[in-house]
Amino acid sequence: LSSEEFRKWVNSRAWSRALLTNSNSEGSQLSNDDSEEPSNEQLAKLSVRTATPFFAFGLVDNFIMVTAGAAIEDTVGISLGLSTMVSAGFGNMFADGLGIGKHLKG
């Protein structure tokens, strides 16, 4: 998919036209032609700013999953004869439950 094909697709959508035309203080409409393309530096900064929370969440989520999986394997897994993969799955369920609970509360 080239950038020109992507631009054609975005411009063909009604919601994109609504986002690209805004009223300014004089009441006239700003169109896509009036705005500048973002620079590569601006796009890089936006990428880093957008990706950072997801990266941090992934680190914390995986830490909880591995820690919980190891704790389950060392306690309940031994007494019930659970495999390492089953314990890891339960650790993943625990980590996902914490993540979902955080989103539901806040």
Side-chain angles (χ1 to χ4, degrees), residues 36-54:
E36 294 181 21
E37 293 271 334
S39 69
N40 287 337
E41 181 183 359
Q42 289 171 323
L43 291 173
K45 287 180 180 180
L46 178 64
S47 296
V48 169
R49 183 177 178 160
T50 304
T52 301
F54 293 102

Side-chain angles (χ1 to χ4, degrees), residues 56-77:
F57 174 79
L59 285 176
V60 171
D61 184 58
N62 285 321
F63 174 77
I64 293 171
M65 178 183 63
V66 169
T67 305
I72 291 169
E73 183 179 17
D74 292 341
T75 56
V76 180

Side-chain angles (χ1 to χ4, degrees), residues 8-100:
K8 284 180 183 178
W9 178 80
V10 168
N11 290 331
S12 71
R13 304 291 177 233
W15 59 266
S16 67
R17 286 190 292 275
L19 290 174
L20 294 173
T21 57
N22 296 319
S23 297
N24 62 12
S25 59
E26 291 85 31
S28 64
Q29 295 291 319
L30 294 175
S31 69
N32 191 23
D33 298 333
D34 295 338
S35 62
E36 294 181 21
E37 293 271 334
S39 69
N40 287 337
E41 181 183 359
Q42 289 171 323
L43 291 173
K45 287 180 180 180
L46 178 64
S47 296
V48 169
R49 183 177 178 160
T50 304
T52 301
F54 293 102
F55 182 76
F57 174 79
L59 285 176
V60 171
D61 184 58
N62 285 321
F63 174 77
I64 293 171
M65 178 183 63
V66 169
T67 305
I72 291 169
E73 183 179 17
D74 292 341
T75 56
V76 180
I78 292 174
S79 62
L80 296 179
L82 300 177
S83 69
T84 301
M85 288 301 292
V86 171
S87 299
F90 283 130
N92 189 25
M93 286 183 357
F94 179 74
D96 290 346
L98 288 178
I100 290 172

